Amino acid sequence: MANVLTDKEGKKRYLVSFTINGDEHQGLVKANTLFVNFIRDELDLTGTKRGCELGDCGSCTVLMEGKPVNACLLLAVEADGHSFTTIEGLATTNKLDLVQEKFIEYGAFQCGYCAPGMILSAKALLNSNPKPTEHEVREAISGNLCRCTGYVNVVKAILAASGQEVEH
Amino acid sequence: MYLPDFEYFAPDSIGEACQLLSQFGAKAKLISGGTDVLVKMKNELLAPEVLVSIKNLEELKKIEYVPGKGVVIGARAKHNDLVYSELLAKRYPSIPGAAKQMAHNQIRNSGTVGGNIVNAVPSADLPPILIALSATVHIVGAKGSRSLALEDVFTGPNTTCLAPDEIITEVIIPDQKMTGSTYMKFGLRAAGALAVAGVAAAVWVENGVMKDARIVMSAVGPTPMRAKKAEDFLKGKKITDELLAEAGKKAAEECKPIDDYRASAEYRRNLVSVFTKRSLRKAIDEGHV
Ligand SMILES: Cc1cc2nc3c(=O)[nH]c(=O)nc-3n(C[C@H](O)[C@H](O)[C@H](O)COP(=O)(O)OP(=O)(O)OC[C@H]3O[C@@H](n4cnc5c(N)ncnc54)[C@H](O)[C@@H]3O)c2cc1C
Ligand code: FES
Ligand code: FES
């Protein structure tokens, strides 16, 4: 269990350490701090979005041990000991990840609010299934709602990122 | 959406977890994957002063076969652990089959078997297939432990017979004669939607005769419900399409659906009738799927 510090008013803070985008991070969190708020407010990782905040929309998707989870339903204190990737962790200094490139090439976002989560779901899919079918792509992003694109170009971009021939 | 203040504990043993739950009583809530508890807290349906997390209880994450006991699924196994379990794919693919129909990928990476059971909504997707396969649960509390048929755990919508200090540690699927099983669900969307109605069926077929059948319906009563009249009707009979259709009708008569914004009671009855027929047929023809 994480170390606990109690202040004069009796409020408890919990020491957590986790890895995020390859960086070790240690911090003090209150029990009721949500992971999505912690990374946005404390770590300035604002690429992760808040939408419904109830697990429905996927805009807060982060990869935890490589698997997509909703950061709005994760307590920061429960992040202790885990390893995370957020959208900021995909690109290197001057090179975007291939999935990001293909999202641009195929016009797979309009307002872009869903894109970080969508791209991370795609990334997790391609890591475990390098040549997915269209159905598998749609299944993998079914927890990522998009209000703009109608998904067609998103699916194309992900298939293209897997190296498969896709109509533009 | 912010959560109210609470204190947090993540004990390293089941004993310690039960102790904490017993010490804080009604003020405490156990949290597993949090996909129900945190949503309820955000919706102000729940405001526990203490959350006791079972995330560190590694022994609750296993999925294994224990000779003489059966397939043991730890209560902390996540839905996607079921979906990708090689053991379940070999023995009861109908369990990953049901898990795959739940929520969406992100929730399946967080939500757990124990949470799906104890949250006890009538539309929960795992209890029907587990009950159809005669699952029992092992429960540990501050004062001792007990085992129970899973179907006896549910006492009504959102309620179970568990005491506040009791934790489900594992779900056990006993070795059995059932030759096939499956779960069929209808939701308003293929992913991320609760069941409007669902039916799980398990069958023991020998030489074209139904030796035994278990039918469990979801979202059409206060708890997951056995269709016992339909089951009794099937037993010992030669399998025909007419027989299965008749069983479907009987199940539809037995269920107790309500009208709500997702569907009318009448529509739900119809779903039960059709799904009972189809799930029986599928389990008969294709085995555990
Ligand atoms: C967007 C979304 C979609 C969903 N879709 C579906 C769906 O399609 N089908 C479906 O069935 N469910 C669905 N759910 C509900 C939920 O994800 C599941 O019920 C999940 O299995 C809950 O598990 P958990 O570990 O997250 O539970 P938690 O939220 O941690 O706990 C739920 C309840 O169970 C208790 N509990 C948990 N584990 C134990 C244990 N081992 N012993 C005793 N008590 C315990 C907790 O105290 C709490 O009361 C959905 C939820 C969301 C947010
Ligand atoms: S903000 Fe987390 S799922 Fe919508
Ligand atoms: S691009 Fe606007 S929500 Fe997807």
Side-chain angles (χ1 to χ4, degrees):
Chain A
M1 159 107 197
N3 282 322
V4 189
L5 302 178
T6 311
D7 68 14
K8 285 202 290 293
E9 270 120 54
K11 219 170 216 147
K12 292 190 170 164
R13 285 189 169 69
Y14 304 77
L15 184 67
V16 292
S17 48
F18 52 82
T19 306
I20 191 154
N21 302 330
D23 293 326
E24 299 278 339
H25 187 84
Q26 286 212 337
L28 277 178
V29 299
K30 292 201 311 168
N32 64 351
T33 304
L34 290 162
F35 191 61
V36 68
N37 293 336
F38 186 72
I39 59 175
R40 285 178 55 86
D41 301 344
E42 303 290 325
L43 306 185
D44 286 343
L45 295 171
T46 52
T48 305
K49 304 302 179 206
R50 276 189 310 244
C52 67
E53 300 188 53
L54 294 170
D56 289 305
C57 76
S59 58
C60 65
T61 302
V62 298
L63 302 185
M64 180 171 174
E65 313 301 347
K67 294 176 188 163
V69 298
N70 292 325
C72 70
L73 292 185
L74 177 65
L75 296 175
V77 59
E78 302 236 294
D80 188 47
H82 289 286
S83 168
F84 296 88
T85 305
T86 67
I87 192 66
E88 290 88 349
L90 291 195
T92 49
T93 311
N94 47 20
K95 196 169 170 1
L96 291 177
D97 184 84
L98 180 65
V99 178
Q100 293 173 310
E101 295 279 7
K102 293 295 171 191
F103 265 61
I104 295 171
E105 191 183 328
Y106 282 79
F109 42 80
Q110 292 170 23
C111 81
Y113 205 80
C114 67
M118 201 68 97
I119 289 169
L120 287 169
S121 281
K123 199 67 199 153
L125 168 72
L126 297 180
N127 283 341
S128 62
N129 181 1
K131 286 272 177 289
T133 61
E134 179 180 338
H135 182 82
E136 286 167 337
V137 170
R138 286 185 178 273
E139 162 57 32
I141 58 167
S142 62
N144 295 88
L145 302 186
C146 176
R147 299 283 81 184
C148 307
T149 65
Y151 304 99
V152 173
N153 289 349
V154 176
V155 174
K156 283 186 181 173
I158 298 169
L159 287 170
S162 76
Q164 306 188 64
E165 287 279 333
V166 203
E167 238 183 276
H168 236 294
Chain B
M1 255 178 233
Y2 292 85
L3 295 169
D5 271 327
F6 54 86
E7 238 187 286
Y8 172 87
F9 295 91
D12 291 318
S13 73
I14 298 173
E16 212 184 315
C18 296
Q19 216 48 60
L20 285 163
L21 289 169
S22 148
Q23 179 188 334
F24 291 104
K27 289 185 195 159
K29 191 84 190 158
L30 181 156
I31 180 169
S32 183
T35 61
D36 281 317
V37 168
L38 296 180
V39 169
K40 282 187 184 162
M41 287 171 70
K42 287 181 174 194
N43 286 331
E44 298 180 13
L45 299 171
L46 207 66
E49 289 173 34
V50 173
L51 279 185
V52 177
S53 168
I54 56 172
K55 88 175 186 89
N56 292 335
L57 307 184
E58 290 297 325
E59 68 268 42
L60 302 193
K61 294 177 189 169
K62 69 192 167 200
I63 300 176
E64 62 185 19
Y65 181 70
V66 181
K69 190 169 171 189
V71 172
V72 178
I73 302 174
R76 268 287 298 176
K78 295 176 177 159
H79 305 318
N80 267 346
D81 295 336
L82 306 181
V83 171
Y84 298 113
S85 159
E86 281 174 28
L87 176 72
L88 293 178
K90 212 171 81 202
R91 290 189 176 256
Y92 301 109
S94 48
I95 298 176
K100 225 188 282 181
Q101 295 178 56
M102 293 181 68
H104 50 66
N105 205 24
Q106 286 91 323
I107 296 288
R108 288 197 299 268
N109 281 328
S110 301
T112 65
V113 175
N116 195 234
I117 293 171
V118 181
N119 196 52
V121 292
S123 61
D125 285 312
L126 288 179
I129 188 69
L130 297 173
I131 294 170
L133 292 168
S134 304
T136 57
V137 290
H138 191 66
I139 301 169
V140 177
K143 291 190 207 78
S145 66
R146 56 184 175 138
S147 287
L148 215 59
L150 173 57
E151 62 181 307
D152 296 334
V153 166
F154 303 99
T155 49
N158 311 309
T159 58
T160 68
C161 68
L162 263 66
D165 64 287
E166 284 188 316
I167 300 177
I168 293 189
T169 57
E170 53 192 38
V171 178
I172 301 129
I173 313 292
D175 291 338
Q176 55 192 281
K177 300 227 157 116
M178 293 305 192
T179 51
S181 63
T182 197
Y183 174 62
M184 285 185 179
K185 157 187 180 180
F186 178 74
L188 298 182
R189 185 174 178 262
L194 301 181
V196 167
V199 175
V203 297
W204 170 19
V205 180
E206 237 178 62
N207 303 322
V209 172
M210 186 75 79
K211 304 277 280 190
D212 195 10
R214 286 168 72 95
I215 299 166
V216 189
M217 308 172 285
S218 55
V220 289
T223 65
M225 275 182 76
R226 294 267 302 277
K228 289 197 175 158
K229 285 187 192 135
E231 292 175 1
D232 288 342
F233 166 76
L234 286 165
K235 266 174 224 169
K237 296 216 172 74
K238 193 169 165 338
I239 294 161
T240 63
D241 284 343
E242 294 69 40
L243 183 84
L244 304 185
E246 191 53 36
K249 278 193 201 132
K250 292 209 175 333
E253 281 163 21
E254 277 183 271
C255 69
K256 298 188 172 66
I258 54 165
D259 289 309
D260 69 9
Y261 67 97
R262 282 183 292 143
S264 65
E266 189 194 352
Y267 184 64
R268 287 191 158 98
R269 270 189 211 284
N270 256 314
L271 283 173
V272 164
S273 169
V274 172
F275 278 179
T276 300
K277 182 178 70 179
R278 285 190 196 161
S279 59
L280 285 166
R281 177 47 79 192
K282 197 161 174 197
I284 292 162
D285 290 351
E286 299 173 40
H288 297 283
V289 285

